[in-house]
Amino acid sequence: MGQKVIANKTIDVNDEGYMTDPSQWDKDVASALAEEIGIELSDKHFEVLDYLREKFKEGEVLTIRKVGKSGIVDIKGLYQLFPGGPLKYSSKIAGIPKPASCV
Amino acid sequence: MKKIVILGGGTAGTMMANKLRNALERDEWDITIVDQFRTHYYQPGFLFIPFGIYHERDVKKPKSSFFPVGVNVLYTGIDKVDADNKKVLLEGGKVLFYDFLIIATGTKTCPEETPGLKEQLWYKDIFDFYTIEGALALQKHFKSWQGGKLVMAITEIPYKCPVAPLEFVFLAEEFFTKKGIRDKVDITIVTPMAGVFTKPIATKMLSELLVEKNINVVADFYIERIDNEKKALVSYDEREVPFDTLTIVPVNMGDKMVERSGLGDDLNFVFTNKHTLQQRDHEEIFVIGDAANLPTSKAGSVAHFASEILFDNLMNAIEGRPLTAHFDGHANCYIETGYGKGALIDFNYDTEPLPGTFPLPGIGPFGLLKNTKINHYGKIMFRWIYWHLLLKGKELPVEAEMTMAGKKRVTF
């Protein structure tokens, strides 16, 4: 557990840099987190991030498939937005926990 | 006469039928359980079948042996739940009205969700071990397999028993070593997650096992399709993993009945209050086991712990009290690591698997996140406990709520 200063804000993060308090998230924080990964956020990115945050709030388990069926973007498109690891990167930028298994 | 209907006679449904029949007067409460199949499989045993450790006879018994006297049993398919009118429509037109409904219809593998999976290589070079058919076909295949690339792949989360693929590669490593052909078998585990281990402490304590056993990991690999000609997995970002033998966890989905009833998410898992175990929109419907969309493992231990909470809350509801029992997502899972050893993890919604010891009166303690022989014996003994105590709804010496006793908070 630690803190870091990003976009002129102090945020709480875990060892892997995932935010631990979703209420500290805003669009500037998202853009700065994305920049660290090498992604420049477009409106489409933000649509995905909003969807993820909303579903997380509702307590749903998020999957790449679920985002692909959201009507915002298909799975190929999601990979283009967040190359390499679409769900882990989009979750990180959305300020929600990393998708995890039980161990 | 008031009515309780239980949909699904697997682990969770059978436990609930036993607990409820024991507690409720027969002249006041009518209990009906519905399932389309007559055979109960001990599913944790499927893992051992490919390696010839268990055989079909070790994992199957008639469902009827575990249903209590005084419960109506209907072996039929379910069309859908009409929640607004508190009734269940069965295949063939029969209708069951209920005061309370328990959905325990589980999860199943859907290989048809992945293009190329259920085609010419299915059960020739591609297998699952989550069905009795797949596990037996793989046992036969391994008897004459001369080696090559063995790939264990996970298509999608969530799936039943998240540690099973890991146990599979550990047992395969031992199996081919003892067969004297380990040098000809290249073992790779492929996951859509960021790694085989995703929780920080488990990663630190258990990743070394994969290195020791020379098992390759391909992470962040989300399977789009199987190329049958090339014998390769193809991901959405166009990476490929070639295989000679592929063992796969197909996409898991809840029963189609859930979709027809409009009670669940896109994978047909029922929207469930993670603490009360009530269905999100209907207070007289409760959900238990793999059928629920709870953010914890799909595993028998979770269903077992949840059964105690569900029982308490159903009693609360029947007697008009608030639903005070609170499920914490408790799971307790053995991880077979090969050579007669195993690890144990114990966790809930909020607490990741931690090291330390797990107290169990009379037998334990077991070592948490440690690779020991006693943990392996725990797993082997569990089959007896499952058939004789757990399914019958008897008390086990393990609390439903996770305890921190014996666990150590660690930092690395």
Side-chain angles (χ1 to χ4, degrees), chain B residues 199-378:
Chain B
K199 295 290 168 83
I201 296 167
T203 306
K204 293 271 183 354
M205 299 199 61
L206 297 176
S207 316
E208 193 57 31
L209 281 173
L210 291 162
V211 180
E212 268 171 32
K213 293 172 190 285
N214 194 19
I215 292 163
N216 312 305
V217 176
V218 176
D220 289 318
F221 193 97
Y222 193 60
I223 297 168
E224 182 185 15
R225 63 193 168 85
I226 313 294
D227 188 326
N228 281 248
E229 302 304 315
K230 276 198 199 163
K231 292 182 82 171
L233 302 168
V234 183
S235 72
Y236 275 94
D237 51 351
E238 280 146 33
R239 289 183 289 155
E240 291 187 4
V241 174
F243 61 84
D244 294 302
T245 294
L246 171 64
T247 309
I248 197 159
V249 185
V251 174
N252 272 230
M253 292 179 82
D255 200 281
K256 284 248 185 305
M257 176 283 291
V258 175
E259 186 180 7
R260 289 191 290 268
S261 310
L263 295 172
D265 66 13
D266 58 313
L267 287 169
N268 300 339
F269 295 123
V270 183
F271 291 120
T272 307
N273 180 310
K274 71 176 189 175
H275 295 307
T276 65
L277 304 176
Q278 252 173 338
Q279 205 277 340
R280 187 188 65 185
D281 309 313
H282 301 279
E283 61 179 20
E284 58 290 323
I285 301 179
F286 289 84
V287 194
I288 183 167
D290 297 345
N293 78 332
L294 301 179
T296 185
S297 291
K298 296 203 177 297
S301 67
V302 173
H304 166 68
F305 297 131
S307 74
E308 299 188 13
I309 306 299
L310 178 49
F311 175 79
D312 288 348
N313 272 345
L314 193 54
M315 287 307 188
N316 285 332
I318 285 171
E319 291 164 17
R321 296 185 299 263
L323 305 189
T324 46
H326 204 77
F327 187 52
D328 67 350
H330 188 191
N332 180 282
C333 307
Y334 291 101
I335 308 173
E336 278 291 293
T337 56
Y339 304 96
K341 288 187 173 183
L344 178 65
I345 53 173
D346 191 67
F347 57 96
N348 67 13
Y349 291 139
D350 305 314
T351 308
E352 69 174 296
L354 294 173
T357 54
F358 183 74
L360 189 64
I363 309 165
F366 294 105
L368 290 168
L369 285 176
K370 282 191 206 91
N371 195 24
T372 65
K373 284 199 155 62
I374 180 94
N375 288 338
H376 165 73
Y377 293 132

Side-chain angles (χ1 to χ4, degrees), chain B residues 47-48 51 53 166-183 185 187 209-215 335-343 370-377 379-380:
Chain B
L47 170 72
F48 297 107
F51 310 107
I53 302 168
L166 196 58
E167 297 182 285
F168 179 85
V169 292
F170 288 149
L171 290 177
E173 199 278 335
E174 179 189 2
F175 179 77
F176 291 112
T177 299
K178 288 189 169 161
K179 233 181 156 184
I181 59 167
R182 178 66 179 93
D183 58 332
V185 180
I187 306 176
L209 281 173
L210 291 162
V211 180
E212 268 171 32
K213 293 172 190 285
N214 194 19
I215 292 163
I335 308 173
E336 278 291 293
T337 56
Y339 304 96
K341 288 187 173 183
K370 282 191 206 91
N371 195 24
T372 65
K373 284 199 155 62
I374 180 94
N375 288 338
H376 165 73
Y377 293 132
K379 177 129 184 165
I380 296 305

